[in-house]
């Protein structure tokens, strides 16, 4: 590519609405242009990166047995109604009507359409397993689009769907996709981590997220440096920090604790460790029984220094549809304002769930259900009944790994991929069945597998940038190398050497751009450092008179002289070609 | 590709809603699956063809200086309001609202977005010319989607937009695109014709359509076999069939012509040639003057054997917004029921426009503005005033070519590409200006250039099929060649030879599929003939014992034996590789 025939448009300053580094750098490098809230034109430089990301995904998907098709963006409501997602999904599902008033959705994913394809096209066990995928524009009407391509509304995603005869087959398809994802993210040249994930609303029996590691990531990833345990914060199991409960040594004492609605304040006032306090979180669960609405009071107990994990709460039997109690509900149930609640002496019956650590505490402090009072010396069995015990808290650094092989660490990540075992959630709803060897119909076992193509760009930059700009990994850089001639239109020597090198690198399969725009060196270098092309060769008269060119890797502190005759081999070596 | 790892799903019968051959064959070959009205999933076989079409377009666009970007599908109404297209376009522009109630359109084309990109990114004459293109999903909410991919609602289009400093530059960009289109359609291996076209509603100063020739095509293409004149029916100029007007020889006579509302009936009744009759077509034009609606009566005169061309009518000064008169309006203006109208003795004032041929007629027959009566022997100047003269009719086979180099022929075509000179229609509306050498702002001169990617599939099939199925040209076939082993899982000899040939063809860059599904020969051959793979090699034990394989081109009446050792070279020769 010649820069004069390409379109490069860099900015000194990022627009003020760009909040994070990847968004700022993509705007400054001219990779994207905002058309509306969360809607972007991918400019020529940005599109080149997208195409490289797509090509790697496509190659590995095909190698893993994926079959590419292309499902439509505009999908009839009827299919979404079959699975109930038409009603279940919130306003992020963008709905529209055609000229005849019929309802459609802009696809955020394509489970319904692919299941419809398979139920009409596949009849026999002989046709299974199958894995269909497409790389297609998606739309998700985010309430607050932001962060450039990180949380856009229109974006590109690769979504794949596997269909199997049984659970074992589904698990095999799942593992195949997991392995393909590892290859894909390795080929991108990104540091990443696959973590076990909660299946969430999509249902099913197992899932993993793939995260690009970046200190700016939204998600906390839990992992064990001395084993292969890794999970996201929702799925990471928190073991009890106290191995077994000690004996009671104190008597239950109602203690005046004015102005101490937080455990930190109570501990300070009483001269205790925060880890001797217990915080109480009041929930309400509404049930409809025989058309009558009833309310249950639930109280969650967490050690004072721990954080609640709501996903874990929702898995406690009876708490699937919990909500936090209102102040009025609290007053009614506990007889106290919030800040002094506890499991002892509530006004109404309360179902108590203690975190695993709390369940093993002795002589603990908790609210007395009376404003400005706490109990000290509380003990299970003696002062209150044994609780329901559950894992309710976020793990913290240093927690024991659930696999018993060390302690947990936490790092930040950006979710860019997700693999799910769906089971029969969709196939049962849509009657996607096959006939088995005996001619009996059975619902297919499904999996689904997504990669956020355009999100990869943002995540890659969050992981790879410096104060000059982006630092693309070779595999997904818009160009692998830029040739910067010093005086392309002034020096015959420079022009001839540039053209020779350009032709030879192209012939060697290197994705090379030559900057023939005639810019001054400073502006030229700044452009390419901002754009993040990982390798650069400067062709100058002075060096050429000694037979040398100047090579600099984007991360190298300094340039180095390389004999002109060796440069092609040198670059190929750098690129591993 | 191995068929066992691919997805092939053919049908004996086409679904009943498939009306035309390409739709039927694509459904039967399993290339597309209908998801909703005018909305399809491109199945794996169909997607392969689409990708090949896209790759050819992309290569030639890049060679011609096009720069690829990707504009969004969901576009804010504000941009469409700037050019007025938000209001001007009918319901085929699918409009939608996001969760905040803001208006958006699903793009049918992207003039507004690309003009917005250029007006913010391009400031100086030094940055011009530019030609941006994308290959993207489009949506057009057709009132009556049909014919499969021919008139779908969601489809894929390549649209390019050129930006130049002046008209000469725009015309150069236009010619570059025209030439690129010729290369693209040649590379597809399709018979096509480029015809001059009317610019229509999009405005601008010149345009050509590219049509795939097919007897089933919707459009009539006019061309001169002895010159390079070619135009579509709207743009093809019809010369007068009578060089100069003869002298009057008859007197004007009101003649009883009962039950003759058609020229054919009048001619038959009176024993005249149809070419001596004139048909009268009544129009109404409404004008608002000072807030008051006024109506004008217009009468078009066409020779009895000619057909009206409405696009030509709309170009007659004063007739831009014409409509056909209602029966009530006709009675009021002419004092007669329809079928007996004419330019003589109307009740109200009527503006008469005669087709060029009618203007040169003498002693003609026309309606008498009285039921069951016609005038015979009518003559211009004597019986009625000289008319306004215009080209109002469709050309017919045998008409003189407007370039004076022969006579016109007509064939049918399917429009698959269109190139337009837009001028400043969009750039002026959106203030897309550049600063010229003197620092003066000037609007950019634009062109736009479309190719209907998915429509190409339908058009290619309409041109290339037989009673067995599709016959793809090599360049856009889903696979170039299929290997059909006779007993892949039974015969070691057959398997070994198949695997060798498969590996060697792949190494030679041939897009080959091996049918390892274990079907019987009849079913296997029928599948591939239906799918339309252009080359086939059968690997059988009998032939192999004599060292031969069997080759058959899709259009060949019979197979021929080719020595196994020569087959790779033979196939490469067939494919021109």
């Amino acid at each position: 590519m010649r820069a004069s025939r390409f379109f490069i448009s860099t900015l000194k300053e990022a627009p003020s609405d760009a909040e994070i580094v990847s968004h700022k750098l993509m705007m400054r490098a001219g990779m994207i242009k905002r058309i509306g809230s969360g809607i972007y034109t991918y400019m020529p430089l940005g599109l080149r990166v997208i195409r490289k990301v797509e090509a790697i995904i496509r190659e590995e998907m095909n190698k893993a047995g994926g079959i590419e098709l292309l499902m439509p963006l505009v999908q009839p409501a009827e299919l979404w109604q079959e699975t109930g997602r038409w009603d279940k999904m919130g306003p992020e599902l963008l709905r529209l009507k055609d000229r005849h008033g019929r309802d459609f959705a802009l696809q955020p994913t394509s489970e319904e359409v692919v299941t419809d394809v398979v139920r009409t096209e596949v009849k026999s066990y002989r046709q299974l397993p199958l894995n269909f995928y497409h790389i297609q524009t998606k739309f998700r009407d985010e309430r607050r689009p932001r962060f450039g391509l990180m949380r856009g509304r229109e974006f590109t995603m690769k979504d794949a769907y596997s269909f199997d005869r049984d659970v074992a087959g589904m698990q095999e398809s799942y593992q195949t996709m997991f392995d393909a994802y590892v290859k894909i993210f390795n080929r991108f040249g990104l540091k990443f981590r696959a973590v076990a994930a909660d299946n969430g609303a999509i249902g099913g029996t197992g899932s993993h997220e793939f995260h690009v590691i970046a200190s700016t990531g939204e998600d906390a990833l839990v992992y064990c440096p001395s084993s292969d345990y890794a999970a996201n914060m929702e799925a990471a199991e928190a073991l009890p920090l106290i191995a077994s409960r000690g004996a009671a040594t104190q008597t239950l004492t109602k203690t005046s604790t004015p102005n101490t609605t937080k455990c930190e304040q109570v501990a300070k006032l009483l001269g205790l460790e925060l880890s001797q306090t217990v915080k109480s979180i009041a929930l309400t669960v509404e049930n409809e029984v025989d058309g009558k609405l009833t309310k249950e009071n639930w109280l969650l107990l967490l050690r004072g220094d721990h954080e609640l994990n709501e996903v874990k709460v929702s898995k406690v039997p009876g708490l699937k549809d919990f909500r936090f109690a209102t102040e009025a509900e609290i007053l009614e149930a506990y007889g106290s304002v919030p800040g002094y609640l506890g499991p002892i002496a509530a006004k109404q019956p309360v179902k108590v769930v203690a975190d695993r650590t709390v369940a093993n505490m002795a002589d603990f402090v908790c609210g007395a259900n009376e404003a400005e009072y706490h109990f000290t010396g509380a003990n299970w069995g003696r002062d209150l009944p044994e609780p329901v015990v559950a894992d309710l808290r976020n793990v913290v650094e240093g927690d024991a790994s659930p696999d018993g092989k060390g302690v947990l660490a936490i790092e930040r990540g950006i979710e860019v991929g997700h693999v799910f075992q769906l089971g029969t959630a969709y196939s049962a709803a849509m009657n996607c069945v096959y006939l088995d060897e005996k001619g009996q119909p059975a619902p297919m076992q499904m999996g689904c597998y997504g990669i956020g193509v355009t999100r990869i760009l943002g995540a890659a930059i969050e992981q790879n940038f410096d104060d000059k700009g982006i630092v693309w990994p070779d595999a997904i850089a818009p160009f692998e190398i830029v040739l910067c001639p010093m005086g392309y239109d002034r020096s015959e020597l420079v022009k001839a050497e540039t053209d020779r090198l350009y032709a030879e690198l192209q012939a060697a399969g290197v994705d090379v751009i030559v900057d023939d725009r005639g810019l001054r060196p400073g502006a030229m270098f700044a452009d390419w450092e901002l754009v993040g092309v990982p390798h650069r060769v400067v062709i100058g008269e002075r060096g050429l008179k000694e037979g040398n060119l100047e090579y600099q890797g984007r991360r190298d502190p300094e340039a180095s002289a390389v004999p002109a005759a060796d440069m092609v081999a040198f670059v190929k070596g750098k690129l591993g070609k």
Side-chain angles (χ1 to χ4, degrees), chain A residues 137-154:
Chain A
T137 304
K138 301 280 184 295
F139 201 92
R140 195 170 291 168
D141 199 3
E142 296 276 357
R143 191 177 58 80
R144 200 184 151 208
R146 55 190 167 146
F147 305 150
L149 299 195
M150 289 299 221
R151 188 164 298 166
R153 295 201 287 178
E154 185 169 323

Side-chain angles (χ1 to χ4, degrees), chain A residues 174 177-178 181 206-210 417-421 448-450:
Chain A
Y174 181 84
M177 280 294 101
F178 187 99
Y181 274 39
S207 81
H208 284 84
E209 293 167 357
F210 285 75
H418 207 152
V419 291
F420 275 111
Q421 294 179 26
C448 73
Y449 317 95

